[in-house]
Short mmCIF file of all heavy atoms in Angstrom, two decimals:
data_model
loop_
_atom_site.label_atom_id
_atom_site.label_comp_id
_atom_site.label_asym_id
_atom_site.label_seq_id
_atom_site.Cartn_x
_atom_site.Cartn_y
_atom_site.Cartn_z
N HIS A 151 8.56 3.53 -32.31
CA HIS A 151 8.82 2.13 -32.63
C HIS A 151 10.01 1.51 -31.89
O HIS A 151 10.54 0.49 -32.32
CB HIS A 151 8.98 1.93 -34.14
CG HIS A 151 7.82 2.44 -34.92
ND1 HIS A 151 6.58 1.83 -34.88
CD2 HIS A 151 7.70 3.52 -35.74
CE1 HIS A 151 5.75 2.51 -35.65
NE2 HIS A 151 6.40 3.53 -36.18
N HIS A 152 10.48 2.12 -30.82
CA HIS A 152 11.49 1.47 -29.99
C HIS A 152 11.19 1.80 -28.52
O HIS A 152 10.51 2.77 -28.21
CB HIS A 152 12.93 1.88 -30.37
CG HIS A 152 13.23 3.34 -30.21
ND1 HIS A 152 13.68 3.87 -29.04
CD2 HIS A 152 13.15 4.37 -31.09
CE1 HIS A 152 13.87 5.17 -29.19
NE2 HIS A 152 13.54 5.49 -30.42
N THR A 153 11.69 0.96 -27.65
CA THR A 153 11.38 1.12 -26.24
C THR A 153 12.49 1.89 -25.52
O THR A 153 13.65 1.85 -25.91
CB THR A 153 11.18 -0.23 -25.53
OG1 THR A 153 12.36 -1.01 -25.68
CG2 THR A 153 9.99 -0.97 -26.10
N GLU A 154 12.08 2.59 -24.49
CA GLU A 154 12.99 3.34 -23.63
C GLU A 154 12.71 2.92 -22.19
O GLU A 154 11.55 2.79 -21.80
CB GLU A 154 12.72 4.85 -23.74
CG GLU A 154 12.92 5.44 -25.10
CD GLU A 154 14.39 5.68 -25.42
OE1 GLU A 154 15.23 5.65 -24.50
OE2 GLU A 154 14.69 5.89 -26.61
N LEU A 155 13.76 2.70 -21.44
CA LEU A 155 13.60 2.44 -20.01
C LEU A 155 13.54 3.78 -19.29
O LEU A 155 14.38 4.64 -19.51
CB LEU A 155 14.76 1.62 -19.46
CG LEU A 155 14.85 0.19 -19.93
CD1 LEU A 155 16.03 -0.51 -19.27
CD2 LEU A 155 13.58 -0.57 -19.64
N ILE A 156 12.53 3.95 -18.47
CA ILE A 156 12.33 5.18 -17.73
C ILE A 156 12.43 4.88 -16.24
O ILE A 156 11.67 4.07 -15.71
CB ILE A 156 10.95 5.81 -18.04
CG1 ILE A 156 10.76 5.99 -19.55
CG2 ILE A 156 10.77 7.11 -17.28
CD1 ILE A 156 11.73 6.91 -20.22
N ARG A 157 13.36 5.53 -15.58
CA ARG A 157 13.49 5.41 -14.13
C ARG A 157 12.78 6.60 -13.52
O ARG A 157 13.07 7.75 -13.85
CB ARG A 157 14.98 5.40 -13.75
CG ARG A 157 15.25 5.33 -12.28
CD ARG A 157 15.13 3.88 -11.80
NE ARG A 157 15.15 3.82 -10.36
CZ ARG A 157 16.17 3.37 -9.65
NH1 ARG A 157 17.24 2.92 -10.25
NH2 ARG A 157 16.09 3.37 -8.35
N LEU A 158 11.81 6.36 -12.66
CA LEU A 158 11.02 7.43 -12.05
C LEU A 158 11.85 8.14 -11.00
O LEU A 158 12.30 7.54 -10.02
CB LEU A 158 9.74 6.86 -11.44
CG LEU A 158 8.82 6.13 -12.42
CD1 LEU A 158 7.66 5.50 -11.68
CD2 LEU A 158 8.32 7.08 -13.49
N SER A 159 12.07 9.41 -11.21
CA SER A 159 12.89 10.22 -10.32
C SER A 159 12.22 10.39 -8.96
O SER A 159 11.02 10.60 -8.87
CB SER A 159 13.11 11.60 -10.95
OG SER A 159 13.87 12.42 -10.11
N GLY A 160 13.01 10.26 -7.92
CA GLY A 160 12.50 10.47 -6.56
C GLY A 160 11.78 9.28 -5.97
O GLY A 160 11.25 9.36 -4.87
N ILE A 161 11.76 8.16 -6.68
CA ILE A 161 11.09 6.96 -6.20
C ILE A 161 12.15 5.94 -5.77
O ILE A 161 13.08 5.65 -6.50
CB ILE A 161 10.21 6.32 -7.30
CG1 ILE A 161 9.13 7.27 -7.75
CG2 ILE A 161 9.61 5.00 -6.83
CD1 ILE A 161 8.12 7.60 -6.69
N ASP A 162 12.00 5.41 -4.58
CA ASP A 162 12.89 4.37 -4.10
C ASP A 162 12.03 3.21 -3.62
O ASP A 162 11.55 3.20 -2.50
CB ASP A 162 13.77 4.89 -2.96
CG ASP A 162 14.78 3.85 -2.51
OD1 ASP A 162 15.07 2.92 -3.29
OD2 ASP A 162 15.29 3.98 -1.38
N CYS A 163 11.78 2.28 -4.52
CA CYS A 163 10.95 1.11 -4.20
C CYS A 163 11.84 -0.10 -3.95
O CYS A 163 12.99 -0.14 -4.37
CB CYS A 163 10.01 0.81 -5.37
SG CYS A 163 8.72 2.03 -5.60
N ALA A 164 11.27 -1.06 -3.29
CA ALA A 164 11.97 -2.33 -3.08
C ALA A 164 12.28 -2.96 -4.43
O ALA A 164 11.47 -2.91 -5.35
CB ALA A 164 11.11 -3.26 -2.24
N GLU A 165 13.47 -3.53 -4.55
CA GLU A 165 13.90 -4.15 -5.79
C GLU A 165 13.47 -5.61 -5.83
O GLU A 165 13.10 -6.20 -4.82
CB GLU A 165 15.43 -4.06 -5.93
CG GLU A 165 15.96 -2.64 -5.90
CD GLU A 165 15.49 -1.78 -7.04
OE1 GLU A 165 15.31 -2.31 -8.15
OE2 GLU A 165 15.29 -0.58 -6.82
N LYS A 166 13.55 -6.20 -7.02
CA LYS A 166 13.25 -7.61 -7.21
C LYS A 166 14.09 -8.43 -6.23
O LYS A 166 15.28 -8.21 -6.08
CB LYS A 166 13.58 -8.01 -8.65
CG LYS A 166 13.26 -9.43 -8.99
CD LYS A 166 13.59 -9.69 -10.45
CE LYS A 166 13.31 -11.14 -10.79
NZ LYS A 166 13.64 -11.41 -12.19
N GLY A 167 13.46 -9.34 -5.53
CA GLY A 167 14.15 -10.17 -4.56
C GLY A 167 14.15 -9.60 -3.14
O GLY A 167 14.48 -10.30 -2.20
N GLN A 168 13.78 -8.33 -2.99
CA GLN A 168 13.68 -7.72 -1.67
C GLN A 168 12.24 -7.84 -1.17
O GLN A 168 11.32 -8.06 -1.95
CB GLN A 168 14.08 -6.24 -1.70
CG GLN A 168 15.53 -6.00 -1.99
CD GLN A 168 15.85 -4.51 -2.00
OE1 GLN A 168 15.01 -3.69 -2.37
NE2 GLN A 168 17.06 -4.18 -1.60
N VAL A 169 12.09 -7.67 0.14
CA VAL A 169 10.76 -7.68 0.73
C VAL A 169 9.92 -6.58 0.06
O VAL A 169 10.39 -5.47 -0.11
CB VAL A 169 10.83 -7.44 2.25
CG1 VAL A 169 9.44 -7.37 2.86
CG2 VAL A 169 11.65 -8.53 2.92
N TYR A 170 8.73 -6.91 -0.36
CA TYR A 170 7.77 -6.01 -1.02
C TYR A 170 8.17 -5.63 -2.45
O TYR A 170 7.51 -4.81 -3.08
CB TYR A 170 7.49 -4.75 -0.21
CG TYR A 170 6.85 -5.05 1.12
CD1 TYR A 170 7.56 -4.85 2.30
CD2 TYR A 170 5.57 -5.56 1.20
CE1 TYR A 170 6.99 -5.15 3.53
CE2 TYR A 170 4.99 -5.86 2.42
CZ TYR A 170 5.71 -5.66 3.59
OH TYR A 170 5.15 -5.95 4.78
N GLY A 171 9.22 -6.20 -2.99
CA GLY A 171 9.62 -5.91 -4.37
C GLY A 171 8.54 -6.29 -5.36
O GLY A 171 8.24 -5.55 -6.30
N HIS A 172 7.94 -7.47 -5.16
CA HIS A 172 6.87 -7.92 -6.06
C HIS A 172 5.63 -7.04 -5.93
O HIS A 172 4.99 -6.70 -6.94
CB HIS A 172 6.53 -9.38 -5.76
CG HIS A 172 5.55 -9.98 -6.72
ND1 HIS A 172 5.86 -10.24 -8.03
CD2 HIS A 172 4.24 -10.33 -6.56
CE1 HIS A 172 4.79 -10.73 -8.63
NE2 HIS A 172 3.81 -10.79 -7.77
N LYS A 173 5.32 -6.62 -4.71
CA LYS A 173 4.15 -5.75 -4.49
C LYS A 173 4.36 -4.38 -5.15
O LYS A 173 3.43 -3.81 -5.71
CB LYS A 173 3.90 -5.55 -2.99
CG LYS A 173 3.46 -6.79 -2.28
CD LYS A 173 1.98 -6.92 -2.36
CE LYS A 173 1.55 -8.09 -1.49
NZ LYS A 173 0.21 -8.49 -1.78
#
Side-chain angles (χ1 to χ4, degrees):
H151 305 291
H152 62 88
T153 58
E154 299 281 345
L155 292 182
I156 306 298
R157 178 81 190 253
L158 301 175
S159 179
I161 299 295
D162 184 20
C163 290
E165 302 297 326
K166 183 178 178 180
Q168 292 181 328
V169 176
Y170 297 111
H172 185 69
K173 293 273 187 195

